[in-house]
């Protein structure tokens, strides 16, 4: 009883206190650097990929040597876990001493945290290396699913839907959304997409909708502003036609992108896709996918987005977190990350505008045949407004989950 | 050193029903036998004297040892030894360990006394043995020696011979009562075997239901 | 703490007034009814099958070499974490799994895995199978711990002398006495099976999934307003689990009535052999399945590329292990430290409680004691996700923010009931004459505890420690939610990496996760044998 009472008091106190800001001014970088020294930054990031984990470990060693900042990778299986954590702390009135200092996120999670004032900022524009992204030429580094980031998150990598297949089995894979339907008819049970509301699966819905709709414009504004039913009708028609030819007749779907990759490895599927263009090549290296695996992007481009790091409002190590975010934007860190033998995550820097020595670091290319062909990732379709994702997910669940 | 155990106006009852009423003094080397069918309260009486009676029973009266009232003393401070129908040698200790367990801490020359004791019961060199490998009769003899080495002031015997083979029983009685007599210990024996009472050669009190 | 948000109150999310909206949202979820029915039936069917198989097996035990062998095989399975067993089973029975590979292409002509829905079937059969694999050893060991006090040998001999065949004799005269003793573990199984998350994610249906899985996904939904609905869902889960327990209780009464007539009907021979063999075959099947599943994890952890329908990988490589080693070693230490501290703390509390109960002569049936025990078992029966979110908020608001303290405390809550369950019977059964004897030899109560009770109960105590360690090592949500993820254990790392879907990596971590508690069990069984090598009298206590 007593603890509940305490809790209630704290909740009330929380309401009255309002937001507190015990953070260094991001524009005074010298102070930020000196304050950061000796801090330990708890970085909550998806831990499902060994290569990503190794890269974060490398980052730790770099910033430790350079800035005296320790990075601890808190591995989560779902970014939602970290969001939950920040939320639980806020619920209990923990406004200064949170357990999350840096969080890897984008899209829906960012929108949600912003909406509930769970983030610190604006800080991104004050990071010295941020200018190397040349935001005035590359709006995607300051827009997250059409929402302006307002400096509440800092970009650090790029993802784009990439398809892959075993070229020992398939000679010519389908190169458009319409062609996939046709292909599935001839190869029943050999294609699927991750179960909604999985991120990659939801992106497939958006990709399909973008290709099928005559006018994509409404998708870049909140869903409330258009007639959801008529805009999305072509998508549902398409899925009605596609599902009977999918893996397990479209009655069951893999949980997520990695689960789909495992089905490829087991020979259950012939065609799959991922959000990380270098994932198939890495999986071949790890003996998971067949050696003849090849990757490509649909004609006319596929959806791509930038992923970011953000700092929770109650982080006690904001200076350290900013130093890490800034290091992640350095040409050295970005080039290392883009190296296929390291991770293969594409840079957010505007390489064409970098000075010569920096540009050279990115020049080293890989001839790994499982990577998408050079230039394939040039045409990136921007992400629709996040409200569409939620609406599509709801509708999909209504239609396909059995009662 | 001689000891005397006095049970003073003892009345043991269960749910307001009197089971045992007793007033007796047991002198040094004397065995008082209490006989009665099961359920007559004789074992409860023993438990009360030893100091761990189940609280469902109510008892009035006192236990005195050499004149001192020990009714409220915890069991381990009463210095009253016990023999059960099972030898109850601690299974995790050796024969020697069992004997040593009961000896007061500052007993001089423990090893030699243990050796003498084992010889006395015809088990020389058994000190290192696992009690589980001993026969029933051997175990009973070790249990007796454990009791005696613990230097008690009085002894309670709870049907100590009922589980032994018939041919061993008489021999064990002789051994036990002989030792108790020589040690001048007052003893309280509960049993339903008339031969026990006969061999004890002391007063007999019969309980009825 | 899940209650307030379930009615719309969670100030951090702007919910400041009580309302029923979360419930309306919840009821509007597609497939909710099916989720609820799935959770409910999974809880009951899993438990019923496990109980029946365990009883049949025990009834048929005749002390043959096969019987002893089965018992010996089953106990280490208790230590295998649920998720590891589930991964193993999934890889065994999937259309591209080991069984399909074994018969392909020779018998089936399959060059490609068939498009069959076996794992994650919509009826939850594979989910129940996976749970049964783990609940069988649990119930079996609990029964074996309780049996000695019933003296089943003498009871059965008596019935046999009246003309009953052995298995029927056991079922008719031992079961009615055994059942009340294993009732609590059975309730724990119902509660667990009806609210399990990790196994259900691997083997359970997906469209819709079980209720607990749905709740977890709502708790993690980027749309923070879904937390309200998730809290309502957690309350619903509590209701579903309570309903399953209530249904079981009613079934119990019905079966008691029918069973009484069956015991009395006088049949002595009918179906004896069939009953005996069914129990044995089923438990053997389950045990072998679990072990082959684990074997397949081991294969995966060292596999090169593995083409269907090859029975073995094309090559073997140490690189999956080499790669994991640095991370493994760090998390291994954390895992062990947390497990050891929480288990020892639990052991001390349980010993103190039991010793106090014995000294004050309290009966376990006393009302106050029973309600205290009910509280103890609460963490087993309340769905973890709701319980822990609330706990995290409470601890947080009390200002306890040291992750290591919170994690150990959380583990303690879950380890405690199992340690209690594993130890209490042996403790209460301990012959009080040993202590009377010790007291008459001048030993104080405290000294008697250390010199008599503790060494003589060393077997059960070590088993309880092994169970405690196994539970602690397998805990995921408490470690993750309470520790803010700052204490990486083998299990949290395994789950995080499992999200990446690489079966090779999963193999490495799941195998480590399975072997760690196994070490505890080997110690628990081996240490007393070593210590009491020369004490035959201690054999019965192990």
């Amino acid at each position: 009883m007593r603890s509940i009472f305490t809790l209630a008091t704290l909740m009330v106190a929380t309401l009255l206190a309002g937001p507190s800001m015990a953070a260094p001014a991001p524009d005074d970088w010298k102070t930020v650097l000196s304050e950061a020294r000796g801090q330990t930054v708890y970085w909550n990031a998806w831990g499902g990929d060994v290569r990503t984990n190794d890269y974060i470990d490398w980052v730790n060693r770099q910033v430790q040597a350079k800035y005296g900042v320790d990075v601890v990778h808190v591995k989560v299986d779902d970014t939602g876990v970290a969001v939950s954590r920040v939320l639980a702390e806020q619920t209990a009135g923990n406004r200064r001493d949170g357990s999350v200092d840096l969080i890897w996120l984008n899209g829906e999670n960012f929108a949600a945290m912003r909406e509930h004032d769970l983030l610190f900022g604006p800080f991104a524009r004050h990071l010295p290396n941020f200018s190397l992204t040349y935001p005035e030429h590359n709006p995607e580094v300051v827009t997250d699913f059409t929402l302006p980031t307002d400096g509440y998150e800092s970009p650090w990598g790029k993802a784009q839907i990439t398809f892959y297949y075993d070229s020992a089995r398939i000679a010519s894979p389908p190169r458009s959304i319409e062609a996939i339907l046709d292909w599935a008819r001839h190869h029943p049970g050999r294609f699927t997409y991750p179960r909604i509301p999985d991120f990659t699966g939801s992106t497939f819905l958006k990709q399909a909708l973008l290709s099928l709709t005559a006018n994509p414009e409404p998708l870049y504004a909140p869903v409330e502003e258009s007639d959801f039913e008529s805009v999305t009708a072509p998508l549902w028609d398409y899925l009605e036609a596609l599902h009977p030819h999918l893996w397990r007749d479209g009655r069951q779907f893999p949980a997520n992108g990695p689960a789909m990759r495992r089905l490829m490895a087991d020979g259950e599927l012939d065609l799959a896709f991922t959000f990380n263009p270098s994932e198939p090549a890495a999986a071949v290296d790890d003996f998971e996918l067949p050696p003849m695996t090849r990757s490509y992007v649909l004609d006319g481009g596929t959806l791509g987005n930038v992923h970011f790091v953000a700092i929770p409002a109650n982080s006690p190590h904001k200076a350290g977190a900013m130093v890490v975010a800034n290091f992640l934007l350095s040409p050295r860190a970005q080039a290392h990350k883009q190296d296929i033998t390291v991770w293969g995550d594409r840079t957010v820097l505007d390489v064409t505008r970098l000075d010569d020595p920096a540009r050279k670091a990115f020049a080293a290319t890989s001839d790994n045949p499982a990577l998408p062909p050079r230039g394939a990732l040039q045409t990136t379709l921007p992400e629709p407004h996040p409200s569409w994702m939620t609406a599509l997910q709801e509708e999909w669940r209504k239609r396909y989950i059995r009662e | 050193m001689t000891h005397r155990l006095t049970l003073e106006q003892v009345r043991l009852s269960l749910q307001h029903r009197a089971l045992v009423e007793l007033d007796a003094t047991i002198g040094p080397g004397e065995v008082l036998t209490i006989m009665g069918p099961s359920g007559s309260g004789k074992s409860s009486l023993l438990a009360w004297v030893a100091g761990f009676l189940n609280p469902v029973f109510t008892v009035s009266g006192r236990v005195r040892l050499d004149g001192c009232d020990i009714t409220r003393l915890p069991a381990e401070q009463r210095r009253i030894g016990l023999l059960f129908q099972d030898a109850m040698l601690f299974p995790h200790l050796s024969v020697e360990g069992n004997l040593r367990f009961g000896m007061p801490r500052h007993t001089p020359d423990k090893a030699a006394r243990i050796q003498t004791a084992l010889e006395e019961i015809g088990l020389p060199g058994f000190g290192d043995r696992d009690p589980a490998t001993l026969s029933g009769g051997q175990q009973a003899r070790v249990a007796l020696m454990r009791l005696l080495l613990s230097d008690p002031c009085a002894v309670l015997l709870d049907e100590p011979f009922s589980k032994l083979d018939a041919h061993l029983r008489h021999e064990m009685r002789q051994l036990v009562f002989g030792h108790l007599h020589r040690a001048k210990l007052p003893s309280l024996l509960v049993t339903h075997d008339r031969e026990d009472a006969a061999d004890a050669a002391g007063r007999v009190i019969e309980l009825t239901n | 703490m899940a209650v307030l948000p379930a009615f719309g109150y969670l100030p951090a999310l702007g919910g400041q007034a009580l309302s029923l909206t979360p419930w309306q949202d919840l009821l509007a979820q597609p497939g909710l009814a099916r989720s609820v029915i799935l959770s409910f039936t999974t809880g009951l069917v899993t438990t019923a099958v496990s109980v029946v198989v365990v009883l049949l097996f025990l009834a048929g035990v005749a002390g043959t070499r096969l019987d002893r062998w089965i018992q010996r095989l089953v106990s280490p399975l208790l230590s295998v974490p649920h998720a590891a067993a589930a991964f193993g089973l999934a890889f065994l029975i999937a259309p591209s799994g080991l069984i399909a590979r074994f018969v392909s292409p020779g018998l089936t002509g399959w060059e490609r895995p068939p498009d069959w829905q076996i794992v994650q079937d919509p009826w939850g059969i594979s989910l129940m199978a996976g749970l049964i694999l783990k609940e069988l050893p649990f119930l079996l060991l609990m029964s074996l711990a309780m049996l000695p006090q019933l003296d089943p040998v003498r009871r059965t001999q008596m019935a046999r002398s009246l003309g009953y065949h052995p298995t029927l004799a056991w079922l008719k005269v031992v079961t009615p006495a055994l059942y009340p003793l294993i009732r609590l573990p059975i309730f724990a199984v119902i509660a667990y099976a009806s609210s399990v998350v990790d196994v259900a994610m691997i083997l359970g249906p997906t469209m819709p999934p079980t209720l607990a899985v749905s709740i977890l996904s709502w708790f993690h939904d980027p749309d923070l307003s879904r937390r309200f609905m998730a809290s309502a869902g957690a309350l619903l889960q509590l209701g579903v689990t309570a309903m399953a327990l209530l249904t079981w209780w009613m079934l119990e009464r019905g079966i008691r009535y029918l069973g009484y007539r069956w015991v009395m009907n006088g049949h002595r021979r009918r179906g004896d052999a069939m009953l005996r063999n069914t129990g044995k075959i089923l438990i053997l099947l389950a045990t072998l399945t679990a072990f082959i599943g684990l074997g397949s994890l081991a294969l995966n952890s060292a596999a090169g590329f593995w083409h269907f329908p090859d029975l073995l990988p094309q090559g073997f490589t140490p690189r999956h292990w080499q790669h994991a080693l640095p991370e493994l070693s760090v998390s291994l230490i954390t895992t062990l430290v947390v497990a050891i501290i929480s288990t020892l703390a639990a052991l001390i509390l349980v010993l103190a409680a039991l010793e106090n109960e014995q000294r004050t002569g309290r009966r376990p049936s006393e009302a106050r004691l029973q309600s205290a025990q009910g509280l103890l078992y609460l963490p087993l029966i309340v769905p973890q996700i709701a319980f822990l979110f609330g706990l995290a908020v409470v601890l947080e608001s009390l200002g306890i923010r040291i992750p290591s303290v919170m994690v150990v405390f959380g583990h303690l809550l879950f380890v405690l009931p199992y340690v209690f369950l594993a130890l209490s019977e042996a403790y209460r059964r301990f012959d009080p004459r040993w202590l009377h004897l010790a007291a008459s030899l001048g030993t104080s109560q405290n000294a008697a505890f250390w010199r008599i009770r503790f060494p003589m109960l060393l077997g059960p105590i070590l088993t309880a420690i092994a169970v405690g360690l196994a539970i602690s090592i397998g805990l995921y949500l408490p470690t993750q939610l309470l520790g803010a993820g700052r204490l990486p254990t083998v299990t949290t790392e395994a789950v995080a990496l499992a999200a990446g879907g690489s079966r090779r990596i999963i193999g490495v971590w799941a195998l480590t996760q399975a072997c760690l508690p196994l070490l505890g069990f080997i110690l628990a069984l081996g240490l007393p044998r070593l210590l009491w090598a020369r004490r035959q009298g201690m054999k019965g206590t192990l």
Side-chain angles (χ1 to χ4, degrees):
Chain A
M1 256 345 272
R2 209 185 154 145
S3 58
I4 292 173
F5 177 73
T6 318
L7 183 69
T9 331
L10 276 165
M11 281 176 165
V12 174
T14 311
L15 285 174
L16 298 176
S20 75
M21 284 290 206
D27 52 344
D28 183 0
W29 193 247
K30 258 199 182 138
T31 317
V32 170
L33 277 180
S34 70
E35 225 174 278
R37 191 160 287 277
Q39 288 189 339
T40 300
V41 173
Y42 290 92
W43 183 3
N44 284 236
W46 189 70
D49 179 53
V50 177
R51 289 167 178 251
T52 313
N53 297 351
D54 286 351
Y55 176 72
I56 293 178
D57 194 41
W58 175 85
V59 169
N60 172 36
R61 273 172 283 140
Q62 299 297 314
V63 293
Q64 218 171 31
K66 263 193 156 137
Y67 307 105
V69 174
D70 269 321
V71 176
V72 176
H73 180 188
V74 176
K75 300 189 187 81
V76 293
D77 59 333
D78 188 326
T79 305
V81 175
V83 178
S84 272
R85 193 166 294 144
V86 176
L87 180 69
E89 288 167 0
Q90 296 277 28
T91 308
N94 178 348
R95 295 247 140 190
R96 282 154 209 273
D97 196 20
S99 61
V100 181
D101 298 314
L102 196 62
I103 183 168
W104 175 12
L105 80 179
N106 72 348
E108 285 178 290
N109 280 310
F110 173 70
M113 291 190 85
R114 263 301 265 152
E115 190 190 329
H116 294 286
D117 266 333
L118 299 174
L119 291 178
F120 161 75
F123 73 94
R125 265 174 304 236
H126 303 293
L127 302 178
N129 286 332
F130 182 73
S131 58
L132 301 177
T133 63
Y134 293 90
E136 59 280 16
H137 300 285
N138 302 286
E140 72 269 20
V141 299
V142 286
T143 359
D144 191 357
F145 283 48
T146 72
L147 293 181
T149 63
D150 290 337
Y152 280 85
E153 55 179 356
S154 160
W156 77 299
K158 263 185 194 168
Q160 180 164 355
I161 288 286
T162 307
F163 284 75
Y164 58 100
Y165 62 102
D166 183 359
S167 62
R169 272 197 185 123
I170 305 290
S172 54
R175 304 196 73 94
S176 70
I177 286 293
E178 291 85 352
I180 286 176
L181 175 57
D182 221 36
W183 183 90
R185 282 205 181 102
H186 292 101
H187 301 81
R190 300 298 172 201
F191 177 67
T192 188
Y193 58 91
R195 182 172 67 245
I196 310 306
D198 174 72
F199 193 72
T200 311
S202 307
T203 310
F204 177 77
L205 297 190
K206 290 185 283 182
Q207 174 79 43
L209 181 55
L210 275 172
S211 313
L212 295 166
T213 185
N215 174 24
E217 217 161 279
L219 299 177
Y220 293 95
V223 66
E224 296 81 25
E225 293 169 19
S226 53
D227 177 8
F228 180 75
E229 213 167 302
S230 65
V231 173
T232 58
L235 173 66
W236 308 120
D237 291 345
Y238 175 81
L239 292 182
E240 283 305 318
L242 180 67
H243 277 191
H245 309 294
L246 291 183
W247 180 73
R248 306 283 188 263
D249 309 326
R251 280 180 289 118
Q252 198 184 350
F253 294 84
N256 47 33
M260 190 160 61
R261 190 184 71 227
R262 203 160 58 207
L263 292 174
M264 280 291 281
D266 288 339
E268 297 208 16
L269 298 181
D270 279 339
L271 178 67
F273 55 93
T274 165
F275 229 124
N276 176 358
S278 60
E279 181 188 316
V284 171
D285 276 1
D286 288 339
F287 303 110
E288 249 202 284
L289 287 179
M292 295 291 281
T293 299
R294 297 290 179 269
S295 314
Y296 68 102
V297 168
L298 295 183
D299 295 342
T302 47
L303 277 173
N305 59 42
V306 171
H307 43 97
F308 298 82
V309 288
I311 303 172
N314 66 350
S315 153
H317 311 119
K318 297 191 179 83
M322 280 190 275
V323 168
V324 175
N326 184 51
F327 174 76
L328 292 176
L329 282 171
S330 68
R332 198 163 119 68
Q334 287 282 315
H336 190 66
K337 181 163 65 78
Q338 187 166 287
D339 184 349
I340 176 68
T341 58
V342 175
W343 176 6
D345 188 51
R346 291 187 308 138
T347 181
V348 288
L349 302 188
D350 192 337
V351 178
T352 54
R353 291 185 164 80
L354 294 181
D355 56 18
D356 267 351
R359 197 163 51 226
K360 282 221 180 73
F362 292 89
T365 50
S366 166
D367 50 359
N368 189 320
L371 282 175
R374 206 169 302 175
L377 299 168
Q378 295 300 337
T379 33
T380 309
L381 305 175
E383 287 278 358
H385 190 271
S387 58
W388 282 91
M389 182 123 147
T390 319
L392 287 174
Q393 289 169 344
E394 292 273 318
E395 181 64 20
W396 188 92
R397 283 158 43 84
K398 259 188 218 134
R399 282 171 182 262
Y400 299 116
I401 286 181
R402 306 161 188 237
E403 284 298 333
Chain B
M1 182 90 170
T2 57
H3 300 289
R4 191 177 296 275
L5 182 69
T6 311
L7 304 176
E8 213 173 85
Q9 294 177 347
V10 175
R11 184 189 153 93
L12 183 139
S13 45
L14 179 64
Q15 289 162 343
H16 308 297
R17 194 165 64 88
L19 292 173
V20 180
E21 288 186 45
L22 189 68
D23 191 74
T25 297
I26 312 168
E30 188 191 342
V31 179
L32 172 66
T33 305
I34 299 192
M35 291 204 53
S38 52
S40 60
K42 58 187 194 303
S43 293
S44 307
L45 176 72
L46 224 56
W48 177 69
V49 177
F52 22 73
L53 182 65
N54 188 324
V56 295
F57 292 94
T58 46
V59 191
S60 61
R62 287 169 206 282
V63 195
R64 287 183 189 278
L65 189 61
D66 303 329
C68 297
D69 185 354
I70 60 165
T71 319
R72 306 250 163 251
L73 273 187
E76 67 269 18
Q77 288 171 28
R78 297 189 178 196
R79 302 194 61 190
I80 294 182
L82 274 174
L83 271 190
F84 295 104
Q85 48 185 284
D86 299 295
M88 302 212 70
L89 298 182
F90 297 117
H92 60 295
L93 302 176
S94 66
V95 168
E96 181 178 338
N98 267 278
L99 294 176
R100 201 178 272 266
F101 186 92
M103 293 168 83
R105 186 172 300 209
H106 300 296
T107 314
D109 214 3
K110 285 184 181 170
R113 294 186 58 153
I114 286 168
Q115 213 178 340
T116 323
L118 283 173
E119 279 162 14
E120 227 174 297
I121 53 173
L123 298 172
F126 272 56
D128 209 22
R129 288 278 289 270
D130 175 2
T133 62
L134 268 54
S135 74
Q138 291 172 328
Q139 292 192 18
R141 278 180 274 164
V142 176
L144 172 66
M145 273 306 148
R146 178 175 63 184
L147 169 82
L148 293 171
L149 286 176
S150 73
D151 198 18
C153 301
V155 174
L156 305 174
L157 304 134
D158 190 356
E159 308 204 18
F161 315 110
S162 61
K163 278 203 176 164
L164 293 172
D165 291 341
H167 68 278
L168 275 177
R169 227 175 268 169
H170 182 66
E171 188 190 323
M172 266 312 284
R173 285 195 202 105
Q174 299 298 329
L175 186 73
V176 171
F177 294 133
H179 272 287
L180 293 178
H181 189 74
R182 253 171 284 147
K184 295 204 172 17
L185 288 168
S187 311
L188 183 61
L189 165 72
V190 304
T191 182
H192 56 252
D193 186 343
R194 294 214 169 267
E195 288 179 36
D196 283 358
D199 279 354
R203 280 179 293 160
V204 177
I205 295 174
E206 297 229 18
L207 299 176
T208 48
N209 261 344
Chain C
M1 274 338 291
V3 177
L4 284 180
F7 293 97
Y9 187 82
L10 187 63
L13 285 183
Q16 286 158 28
L18 296 181
S19 80
L20 285 175
T21 327
W23 290 93
Q24 287 155 1
D25 291 346
L26 178 68
L27 294 177
Q29 284 303 305
L32 182 77
R34 211 183 155 87
S35 291
V36 166
I37 293 170
L38 266 171
S39 293
F40 180 79
T41 47
T42 305
L44 287 182
V45 175
T46 303
T47 316
V49 173
S50 307
V51 169
V52 168
V53 172
V54 163
L55 289 179
L56 281 182
F57 171 71
L58 285 172
V61 167
T64 62
R65 189 177 296 178
L66 179 69
D67 292 337
R68 282 203 303 273
W69 190 69
I70 292 175
Q71 283 186 24
R72 219 168 287 160
L73 271 183
V74 168
S75 15
L77 279 184
L78 185 64
S79 66
V80 176
H82 282 82
F87 273 123
L89 181 69
F91 186 61
L92 195 63
I93 61 172
S96 55
L98 269 189
I99 295 178
R101 287 166 193 260
F102 193 69
V103 294
S104 300
L107 289 176
T108 57
W110 292 336
E111 291 294 338
R112 304 290 304 276
D115 194 3
W116 292 352
Q117 201 166 355
I118 301 176
V119 176
Q120 302 189 324
D121 61 287
W123 305 278
I125 297 170
S126 55
L127 168 60
M128 293 181 215
L131 285 169
I132 289 169
L133 283 190
K134 275 294 298 165
E135 300 314 333
L136 273 182
F138 176 64
L139 288 178
L140 183 65
L141 289 188
M142 284 296 154
S143 308
L144 284 175
M146 305 295 174
L147 267 179
Q149 60 182 307
L150 299 177
D151 202 354
V153 178
R154 214 177 295 175
R155 278 179 195 242
T156 321
Q157 277 168 357
M158 172 61 71
R160 287 180 72 178
S161 73
L162 296 171
Y164 284 87
H165 269 210
T167 309
L168 275 177
W170 198 96
L171 286 176
K172 287 194 172 187
V173 300
V174 181
T175 318
L178 175 65
Y179 185 81
L181 299 179
I182 55 168
R183 207 158 167 226
L184 199 58
I186 289 176
F187 281 7
V189 171
I190 298 175
Y192 181 82
S194 63
S195 66
V196 63
V197 172
D198 51 359
V199 180
M201 289 211 277
I202 299 161
L203 294 171
T206 53
M207 296 178 55
T210 62
L211 185 59
V213 173
S214 302
I215 295 170
L216 189 66
S217 70
W218 298 331
F219 264 116
H220 292 166
D221 200 286
D223 179 1
L224 298 185
S225 63
R226 288 206 162 205
R227 258 78 171 174
F228 293 110
M229 189 173 80
S231 301
L235 282 191
L236 179 63
Q237 172 72 64
L238 195 59
V240 171
T241 300
M243 267 310 289
L245 288 170
L246 193 70
T247 310
W248 183 270
W249 182 77
M250 288 192 299
L251 285 174
E252 235 176 37
R253 313 213 96 192
I255 287 171
R256 195 189 298 164
Y257 173 73
L258 292 177
Y260 186 71
R261 293 176 45 171
W262 177 72
V263 168
M264 291 300 161
N265 70 7
H267 286 301
R268 285 155 163 77
R269 294 179 176 83
R270 199 187 289 167
D272 192 82
M274 191 203 69
L275 285 176
R276 187 171 61 234
N277 294 329
T278 317
K280 214 168 280 188
I281 290 169
L282 286 177
I283 212 155
L284 199 62
L285 186 73
T287 313
L288 287 180
T289 306
F291 271 100
I292 297 174
L294 286 179
S296 77
L297 285 180
L299 268 182
N300 265 300
S301 74
F305 182 62
W306 198 350
H307 193 272
F308 186 89
D310 299 345
L311 188 55
L312 288 174
Q314 284 174 1
F316 289 95
T317 165
R319 68 178 277 175
H320 311 306
W321 281 97
Q322 283 168 346
H323 208 115
L325 222 51
E327 283 175 87
L328 257 179
S329 49
V330 174
S331 54
L332 260 180
I333 294 168
T334 324
T335 311
L336 285 176
V337 169
V338 170
I340 289 171
I341 295 179
S342 55
T343 304
L344 286 185
L347 185 72
I348 291 168
L349 289 175
V350 167
L351 284 177
L354 286 170
E355 184 70 15
N356 183 49
E357 175 191 304
Q358 297 288 309
R359 285 188 192 179
T360 53
R362 290 224 183 103
R363 295 266 160 275
S365 54
E366 269 176 46
R368 258 180 62 198
L369 214 58
Q370 268 196 331
S371 55
Q373 278 178 25
L375 213 58
L376 181 70
Y377 291 117
L378 207 60
L380 300 191
I381 292 174
V382 178
Q384 278 196 7
I385 180 83
F387 178 72
L388 288 166
F389 184 76
L391 189 68
V393 173
V394 171
L395 288 179
E396 180 71 39
S397 55
L398 292 175
I400 303 166
R401 282 180 198 156
I402 309 160
S404 49
V405 174
M406 287 172 65
V407 168
V408 169
F409 179 71
H411 278 225
L412 181 60
L413 285 181
F414 287 91
V415 168
L416 200 58
Y418 283 102
V419 171
F420 195 83
L421 218 51
L423 198 53
S424 56
E425 264 319 301
Y427 213 90
R428 287 170 181 162
R429 227 171 50 224
F430 191 75
D431 191 339
R433 289 184 304 165
W434 290 115
L435 301 165
H436 296 168
L437 187 68
S440 78
L441 294 170
T443 314
S444 72
Q445 283 191 329
N446 290 337
F449 171 81
W450 288 111
R451 295 174 64 188
I452 304 295
R453 207 197 278 266
F454 193 82
M456 284 181 71
L457 287 176
L458 189 64
I461 288 174
L462 285 173
T463 308
I465 291 179
V467 171
L469 290 178
I471 296 292
S472 166
I473 290 168
L475 284 177
Y476 171 65
L477 278 179
T479 322
Q480 187 69 331
L481 282 180
L482 297 176
R486 288 189 184 182
L487 283 149
T489 66
V490 173
T491 298
T492 60
E493 296 282 297
V495 174
L497 279 162
S502 159
R503 202 179 270 140
R504 311 287 185 274
I505 311 282
I506 292 172
V508 170
W509 286 85
L511 209 62
T512 315
Q513 214 198 349
C515 286
L516 211 54
L518 199 62
L519 280 178
F521 268 85
I522 291 170
L523 271 182
L525 294 178
L527 195 63
R529 247 167 238 195
L530 211 68
L531 278 177
W532 310 138
R534 299 187 48 222
R535 298 282 176 267
Q536 282 181 22
M538 294 302 294
K539 274 197 184 136
T541 65
L542 301 182

